[in-house]
Amino acid sequence: MKQLLLSLLLSSVVHYNFAMQAGGSAALHEVAHSLSPAEKALIDAAKNGNLELVRTQLASSANINAQDTNGTALMIAAYMGHNEVVEELLARGAEVNVQNSKCYTALIFAAYQGHADVVELLLTAGADVNAPNIYGRSEEHTS
């Protein structure tokens, strides 16, 4: 069952969300909201897969669930396929089902990019495949 779910997520299920985004792109953009320097550094470290810098920023009181326009450090690490960073963020209490402004989650980002190991980590951590997207549809109902 787990393998079937993983297979569905890595195939057409997540593609729907990005294909339906009017005029949009699944690419991450370099735009920041009002974040503290530690939060910006945390998100950058997650994007670059720099595990030690992620740990340093978390130790300096960066909000683990802070979001820029793309999402949280967890979402960005999931999108980039940085398994160790995803594991660390989950272990430190990152919220696995947080949605960004387009209602995408870390699970959607990881599956869209084909990062099976990250998808499995997120599912094990309780990622919700039934979370509704911006169109009001859950991942379970978009295949």
Side-chain angles (χ1 to χ4, degrees):
M1 177 67 172
K2 187 176 186 180
Q3 195 62 28
L4 175 62
L5 181 59
L6 185 60
S7 180
L8 285 172
L9 282 168
L10 294 175
S11 63
S12 63
V13 175
V14 174
H15 179 71
Y16 172 84
N17 287 318
F18 290 98
M20 293 300 294
Q21 184 179 329
S25 166
L28 293 175
H29 302 285
E30 297 291 332
V31 182
H33 282 210
S34 176
L35 299 173
S36 73
E39 292 163 348
K40 288 178 187 176
L42 172 63
I43 290 171
D44 286 343
K47 180 179 177 182
N48 295 319
N50 188 331
L51 183 58
E52 289 309 312
L53 189 53
V54 165
R55 289 176 176 154
T56 299
Q57 296 311 315
L58 290 173
S60 74
S61 74
N63 176 354
I64 197 168
N65 294 307
Q67 292 194 38
D68 69 6
T69 57
N70 296 308
T72 65
L74 179 63
M75 290 176 194
I76 293 168
Y79 181 90
M80 301 302 290
H82 298 310
N83 297 19
E84 290 181 346
V85 173
V86 169
E87 285 178 310
E88 184 72 17
L89 291 167
L90 290 170
R92 299 272 194 119
E95 295 180 30
V96 71
N97 291 310
V98 169
Q99 296 178 324
N100 70 5
S101 63
K102 292 186 172 48
C103 298
Y104 298 144
T105 63
L107 181 62
I108 291 171
F109 281 125
Y112 179 78
Q113 290 299 102
H115 300 305
D117 293 342
V118 175
V119 168
E120 191 162 348
L121 287 170
L122 295 167
L123 289 172
T124 300
D128 183 5
V129 297
N130 295 311
N133 62 23
I134 196 168
Y135 306 103
R137 303 174 101 184
S138 72
E139 292 310 307
E140 179 180 67
H141 296 103
T142 57
S143 59

